[in-house]
Amino acid sequence: MRHARRRVVRRVTRLAAVGGLLLGGAMVTRAVASEPPATTVPRTYAQEAGQTGADLVSELGSSRTAGTWIGADGKPVVAVTDERTAAEVRRGGAKAKLVEHSMDDLKSAAKTLRSAPRVAGTAWSMDYRTNQVVVQGDSTVSASDWSRMTRVADGIGGFVKTERTEGTFTPRLNGAQPILSTGGRCSAGFNVTNGQSDFILTAGHCGPTGSIWFADTGGTNQLGKTVTQSFPGNDFSLVQYASGKAGDGAGVVFIGNGKGVQITGAGDPSIGQRVFRSGSTSGLRDGQVTSVNATVNYPEGTVTGLIETNVCAEPGDSGGPMFSEGIALGITSGGSGDCTQGGTTFFEPVTKAMKELNVQLIVSNPAGAAGSPSSAPSASGNQGSIAPGSASPGSSAAVDGAQGTPLLSRLTDTRNIGPGLLVVGGSLIALVATRYIRSEQDRRAYQRYYSATWG
């Protein structure tokens, strides 16, 4: 049965790697059509390995295992509590690491932390590789509150580690954004559909239900309206397109420098996996998944079930997409630090959000055209598991203008802005905007003009 699953994963991987590159709007479609076909990014066996580890954890149970991750060599590792289980893991094709505490123990610790009085500026997650639950407190947590959290952690056991972190855990709002409203600004994430209408899947903290979003700072080009919001608790929302449709190029994420990445499916990442995030403030950044099922206590409320990474992010990157090898993985929620000093960033899992919203991802289909709901790869676990250091954002191609006219120059002409233009995270408009505010003086003026946040 496992061999059959592996054959299916290999076939899905091959299907996911093909397809052309299109971006939103008719003018963009013509420009891309003149480009040579994108080169398929090679896939590694690590995707299959990630699924192997997840399958073993599921089969052996939470009382005998304590999570799985991708090792430095790209092979799956499963934490186990006894030698008998370790032998079963090795027979199943993965490495085994003997640990003291089971997944049941880790989950019980997290439950105890959730039941304690809430302290804004704290976060906790399960570190499978060290067999610990790590509790973090940012710079806003007072000495008395941190002492109280430390006492709760110490009372659970020695496998709960506490540490202070620089910066503050905040939603990544309040920067130069590609989608703008009277309530705030955020980056577009991924395009999704319910079969009747198309939506932008973005962060829930970006604005409440009813928020009207525009593609321009003058508020004349209406993009859509927030029709569903979940925050806190979760951190996702749906912005319904004013036209009802996302337009051409809905399955592409813009990554800067005139390039875009085809999104071919959705999945859940593995710990240790290399991932990429695109945002309008800090552009394309990469790092590793450090934990899953993380909880963050933002000042606005608690969000659970997040993906924790060491990818940097800055205000203005909220709602933007996280992906790897063309597989959609998450949407930017918040974190601490910046892209100068580094930091921690949390993401709402795409698969979780789509399941709760009952929508499908719009992807670049195997024939090379964007705009088809995701059917393969499916939104099953660990679709995007990639060995550390071996992953790339995904299949991409240069996007230049037709008749020698640069695409980004044409985008400043409002006559060329179509309904699907801002469907990609770290959107083209964001890039244009940032080019106009290169100087620090202009950037400050821009931020002052759009300084309001929802609340």
Side-chain angles (χ1 to χ4, degrees), residues 107-192:
K107 288 182 176 179
S108 177
K111 183 178 180 180
T112 301
L113 290 168
R114 285 195 301 270
S115 65
R118 176 181 177 276
V119 176
T122 60
W124 53 82
S125 58
M126 300 178 189
D127 188 340
Y128 298 156
R129 288 175 288 192
T130 63
N131 196 225
Q132 294 177 320
V133 174
V134 180
V135 182
Q136 300 178 67
D138 70 16
S139 59
T140 67
V141 179
S142 67
S144 59
D145 282 343
W146 184 240
S147 177
R148 178 158 52 85
M149 286 295 297
T150 301
R151 288 196 298 272
V152 172
D154 291 343
I156 298 172
F159 65 99
V160 180
K161 176 184 176 182
T162 57
E163 58 185 30
R164 297 301 296 258
T165 183
E166 296 182 359
T168 60
F169 291 130
T170 58
R172 289 315 197 184
L173 202 56
N174 300 332
Q177 300 300 318
I179 55 176
L180 310 166
S181 81
T182 55
R185 305 167 314 285
C186 272
S187 295
F190 298 101
N191 273 322
V192 295

Side-chain angles (χ1 to χ4, degrees), residues 85 155 166 280 379:
T85 307
E166 296 182 359
S280 61

Side-chain angles (χ1 to χ4, degrees), residues 74-442:
K75 296 181 180 179
V77 183
V78 177
V80 298
T81 57
D82 59 78
E83 289 290 353
R84 177 184 172 184
T85 307
E88 293 183 57
V89 166
R90 287 189 285 267
R91 286 195 296 270
K95 295 182 178 181
K97 179 179 180 180
L98 197 63
V99 298
E100 183 177 355
H101 303 283
S102 69
M103 180 60 73
D104 288 344
D105 295 333
L106 300 181
K107 288 182 176 179
S108 177
K111 183 178 180 180
T112 301
L113 290 168
R114 285 195 301 270
S115 65
R118 176 181 177 276
V119 176
T122 60
W124 53 82
S125 58
M126 300 178 189
D127 188 340
Y128 298 156
R129 288 175 288 192
T130 63
N131 196 225
Q132 294 177 320
V133 174
V134 180
V135 182
Q136 300 178 67
D138 70 16
S139 59
T140 67
V141 179
S142 67
S144 59
D145 282 343
W146 184 240
S147 177
R148 178 158 52 85
M149 286 295 297
T150 301
R151 288 196 298 272
V152 172
D154 291 343
I156 298 172
F159 65 99
V160 180
K161 176 184 176 182
T162 57
E163 58 185 30
R164 297 301 296 258
T165 183
E166 296 182 359
T168 60
F169 291 130
T170 58
R172 289 315 197 184
L173 202 56
N174 300 332
Q177 300 300 318
I179 55 176
L180 310 166
S181 81
T182 55
R185 305 167 314 285
C186 272
S187 295
F190 298 101
N191 273 322
V192 295
T193 183
N194 62 7
Q196 297 177 331
S197 298
D198 296 345
F199 309 85
I200 298 172
L201 176 62
T202 189
H205 70 262
C206 290
T209 299
S211 298
I212 305 297
W213 295 94
F214 298 91
D216 64 317
T217 58
T220 59
N221 185 16
Q222 184 174 332
L223 183 64
K225 179 174 70 174
T226 300
V227 293
T228 301
Q229 182 226 22
S230 183
F231 178 81
N234 301 305
D235 196 0
F236 54 75
S237 64
L238 288 178
V239 175
Q240 184 173 12
Y241 281 100
S243 65
K245 296 297 179 183
D248 294 333
V252 172
V253 165
F254 189 70
I255 60 173
N257 297 320
K259 291 185 178 181
V261 166
Q262 301 165 94
I263 299 301
T264 57
D268 295 315
S270 295
I271 294 175
Q273 176 184 342
R274 187 185 181 196
V275 292
F276 300 81
R277 176 200 57 73
S278 184
S280 61
T281 298
S282 56
L284 182 68
R285 304 285 176 161
D286 72 295
Q288 286 190 350
V289 174
T290 56
S291 183
V292 294
N293 296 321
T295 296
V296 184
N297 292 303
Y298 294 129
E300 297 86 349
T302 300
V303 180
T304 62
L306 297 175
I307 302 164
E308 182 180 343
T309 74
N310 59 15
V311 185
C312 73
E314 296 183 357
D317 292 327
S318 259
M322 179 179 73
F323 49 93
S324 184
E325 296 291 276
I327 302 298
L329 301 172
I331 48 178
T332 307
S333 173
S336 63
D338 55 39
C339 289
T340 300
Q341 302 296 327
T344 298
T345 303
F346 299 93
F347 297 84
E348 178 72 42
V350 165
T351 54
K352 171 189 167 189
M354 290 196 304
K355 181 178 180 181
E356 296 201 24
L357 293 167
N358 195 27
V359 293
Q360 290 180 293
L361 189 70
I362 299 177
V363 301
S364 295
N365 66 35
S372 299
S374 174
S375 56
S378 66
S380 60
N382 298 290
Q383 281 281 4
S385 302
I386 305 293
S390 67
S392 68
S395 183
S396 64
V399 183
D400 294 321
Q403 293 85 41
T405 304
L407 170 63
L408 295 177
S409 297
R410 289 205 321 277
L411 289 176
T412 61
D413 185 347
T414 57
R415 293 172 298 179
N416 292 335
I417 298 179
L421 184 59
L422 289 177
V423 300
V424 292
S427 98
L428 293 166
I429 286 294
L431 185 59
V432 174
T434 55
R435 288 191 175 187
Y436 278 108
I437 55 174
R438 290 297 188 188
S439 72
E440 187 60 31
Q441 181 179 1
D442 287 344

